Amino acid sequence: MAPEMASSPIDSSSLPLVTILSKRTVLPDSPSAMPDLKLSVSDLPMLSCHYIQKGLFFPKPNMPMTSLVSLLVSSLSRALTIIPAFAGRFTTYPDGSIFVSCNDAGVDFYHATAPRLSLTSLLPPSSDVPKPINNLFPMDRTISYQGHFRPLAAFQLTELGDGAVFIGCAVSHALVDGTSFWHFFNTWAELCRGGSPNQPDFRRNYFGNSKAVLRFASSTGPEVTFPVDAPVRERIFHFSADAVRLLKSKANRSQNSPKLSLIPGQEAEICGKQIHDLRTNTKGSEISSFQSLSALIWQAVTRARKWLPGDYMTTFRMAVNCRHRIEPRVSPMYFGNAIQSTPTRAKVEEVTSKDLRWVAGLLHASVLAHGDAAIRQVISDWEAAPKCFPLGNPDGTVINMGSSNRFPMYEGNDFGWGRPLAVRSGKANKFDGKMSAFPGREGDGSVDIEMCLAPETMAALLLDEEFMGFVSD
């Protein structure tokens, strides 16, 4: 008899962190009667961007995994009936116009497991965002134009080793902006809870009659406009509601007002009184909470970019929702992209030497000025020379702020077993200076800022006492 061979132990470190257990195509549960939807002048520039990748961590579900997968798939199918564009594909017409063909081609749904990952390992406090989070998303670094021959959306459910789950979504950025992305997420969740969500507004009334077309030399479409492999560190900074209120009060106070500091128990009362006085005395001139926080970030990151000469120009780009800024207004439920980027520029020495009130005032003035006339001018300029949006930071002086702390990431996204625990994003569209705003989970006005910075800039930022004084775990 041959001797038994001793089995060698398996080196778990050589195994993949995330294993795909199944992949399926999910179709709408009813055939679509939706006509083709023309991409607008706000959709077309996003064709060179990566698919949006956003997702949510959830506590351990109160049902077997097979039941959860069935629930998510069936409700996703119904969500695609309500929003059939997600299940379509891009089609280029002979005249160069690009449409969403609502042809019920479907979306991809992946079920995955990650036994070596947990909430503790993926959501460490006061640390860089762990790289394995990128494995929780489908369609990594897919360019939005590829929606011509790939699904416009894909979804991945990943079960972690501690029983918690992550639901990651990837959607072509030429199909949706953040408003429409989270509308779909909310719709899916509401259907899981047994609700009856509303359909978005599919009318093409946001410059839908434009004759401008965007042509590409290659049939494969454009490339992204930034180096995808440049080294960056990524971190989530949390700003409490008290810290945000204090920043807003500092940004709005007059030169003769007393200086404020973050003293627990006092700041809410003091800031509340000053903000009330401002609203009473100077209605319409108030600098917002987010503009105040953005000013702090612009100053701190510019200081941390120590190599920048004082006479260099630095730019803070902020994404703005144009739905309520255009005349006549389009519906808040408008489906598609209805965003523009407002650039605010100043010299490095001005951003770093002036006070918060001055820098916040610049940002406030830019946003305030971006009304109907400014939006139409941007559209007119683009129609005269159509091109993809130049996402990136070529000279190292730019901050690009995307997403919004007003998006319903926690609100409305309970799939039936508890509110989300945290929001995270994948590798898509990340480079030095790219930032995203998320609402704090507390729902009290706190804000999370996801920052991607060059390693040396992040290291310097973490040593900035003025900035870190407003950050909490």
Side-chain angles (χ1 to χ4, degrees):
M1 179 181 294
E4 291 187 11
M5 298 293 292
S7 60
S8 300
I10 297 175
D11 181 8
S12 61
S13 64
S14 65
L15 298 175
L17 288 174
V18 177
T19 300
I20 301 297
L21 300 178
S22 66
K23 174 189 174 183
R24 69 188 77 189
T25 299
V26 180
L27 307 176
D29 72 346
S30 298
S32 172
M34 182 77 64
D36 288 0
L37 303 173
K38 186 178 180 181
L39 295 192
S40 76
V41 293
S42 196
D43 300 317
L44 292 169
M46 313 309 289
L47 286 166
S48 63
C49 297
H50 289 141
Y51 276 42
I52 298 172
Q53 290 181 318
K54 294 288 192 298
L56 298 168
F57 286 98
F58 291 90
K60 183 177 180 179
N62 56 1
M63 66 187 78
M65 190 54 55
T66 53
S67 300
L68 176 61
V69 171
S70 178
L71 172 65
L72 291 176
V73 168
S74 63
S75 56
L76 177 58
S77 178
R78 285 180 285 144
L80 295 175
T81 297
I82 295 173
I83 309 179
F86 266 62
R89 298 291 186 272
F90 290 147
T91 300
T92 298
Y93 281 25
D95 66 355
S97 300
I98 301 177
F99 287 73
V100 184
S101 176
C102 300
N103 58 6
D104 297 339
V107 302
D108 287 341
F109 182 89
Y110 299 83
H111 174 208
T113 183
R116 291 193 287 140
L117 300 179
S118 65
L119 291 174
T120 301
S121 66
L122 294 173
L123 300 174
S126 304
S127 299
D128 287 8
V129 174
K131 298 293 185 184
I133 281 183
N134 295 325
N135 298 101
L136 305 181
F137 293 92
M139 303 188 79
D140 186 41
R141 292 186 176 179
T142 302
I143 297 174
S144 289
Y145 180 91
Q146 294 175 18
H148 278 84
F149 38 85
R150 299 188 65 181
L152 288 172
F155 307 86
Q156 180 173 319
L157 168 70
T158 305
E159 182 182 10
L160 307 180
D162 56 4
V165 298
F166 184 84
I167 299 177
C169 301
V171 185
S172 173
H173 207 331
L175 180 70
V176 296
D177 59 10
T179 298
S180 293
F181 177 95
W182 289 108
H183 185 168
F184 186 90
F185 220 128
N186 288 172
T187 296
W188 187 17
E190 187 173 349
L191 288 167
C192 271
R193 299 194 309 270
S196 301
N198 294 321
Q199 190 176 54
D201 185 348
F202 291 107
R203 289 178 295 171
R204 303 290 87 190
N205 60 342
Y206 181 75
F207 300 101
N209 294 324
S210 175
K211 303 301 182 183
V213 297
L214 188 56
R215 300 185 186 277
F216 303 98
S218 169
S219 60
T220 59
E223 299 292 329
V224 293
T225 58
F226 59 91
V228 297
D229 293 318
V232 293
R233 287 179 62 182
E234 182 181 346
R235 201 175 181 104
I236 306 288
F237 292 95
H238 180 71
F239 298 88
S240 70
D242 285 342
V244 173
R245 278 193 292 266
L246 175 58
L247 285 167
K248 182 175 182 178
S249 184
K250 289 169 73 75
N252 283 291
R253 69 183 176 88
S254 67
Q255 287 183 316
N256 297 324
S257 298
K259 290 188 176 182
L260 303 173
S261 59
L262 193 58
I263 303 174
Q266 295 183 8
E267 67 282 347
E269 180 179 353
I270 295 173
C271 295
K273 181 181 184 303
Q274 291 197 358
I275 291 169
H276 171 75
D277 291 345
L278 180 77
R279 286 173 175 163
T280 302
N281 299 327
T282 55
K283 186 176 181 181
S285 65
E286 182 182 31
I287 297 170
S288 74
S289 299
F290 190 70
Q291 291 161 6
S292 306
L293 175 57
S294 295
L296 174 77
I297 293 168
W298 192 8
Q299 289 185 302
V301 171
T302 305
R303 285 195 299 266
R305 290 172 167 166
K306 297 181 180 297
W307 57 272
L308 287 177
D311 60 350
Y312 268 38
M313 294 299 292
T314 177
T315 303
F316 193 105
R317 286 190 168 275
M318 186 180 297
V320 295
N321 183 356
C322 298
R323 288 168 174 80
H324 61 287
R325 297 175 181 273
I326 195 74
E327 295 295 342
R329 293 186 177 191
V330 297
S331 168
M333 305 275 281
Y334 172 86
F335 179 85
N337 287 274
I339 54 174
Q340 289 183 356
S341 175
T342 60
T344 305
R345 298 182 175 90
K347 289 184 178 180
V348 167
E349 60 190 7
E350 292 176 322
V351 173
T352 56
S353 64
K354 300 283 189 179
D355 62 10
L356 182 84
R357 183 170 58 92
W358 187 87
V359 178
L362 286 182
L363 294 169
H364 175 67
S366 292
V367 174
L368 199 64
H370 205 78
D372 181 73
I375 292 170
R376 292 183 182 278
Q377 185 61 56
V378 170
I379 297 299
S380 177
D381 291 346
W382 187 88
E383 289 177 321
K387 62 181 179 180
C388 289
F389 182 72
L391 192 63
N393 181 15
D395 63 359
T397 66
V398 178
I399 293 173
N400 280 269
M401 181 67 74
S403 193
S404 173
N405 57 307
R406 294 183 177 181
F407 287 157
M409 301 181 189
Y410 296 99
E411 175 191 355
N413 276 327
D414 183 343
F415 280 74
W417 67 91
R419 293 178 69 241
L421 301 174
V423 58
R424 289 294 184 268
S425 64
K427 287 190 290 187
N429 301 312
K430 288 184 175 175
F431 49 85
D432 174 30
K434 179 63 170 68
M435 304 187 184
S436 295
F438 305 148
R441 185 176 188 271
E442 300 87 346
D444 59 355
S446 58
V447 179
D448 290 335
I449 301 292
E450 175 192 79
M451 292 194 190
C452 297
L453 294 171
E456 63 275 13
T457 304
M458 184 68 79
L461 181 68
L462 292 171
L463 297 176
D464 188 314
E465 293 183 0
E466 180 179 348
F467 173 77
M468 293 302 293
F470 288 94
V471 176
S472 55
D473 290 334

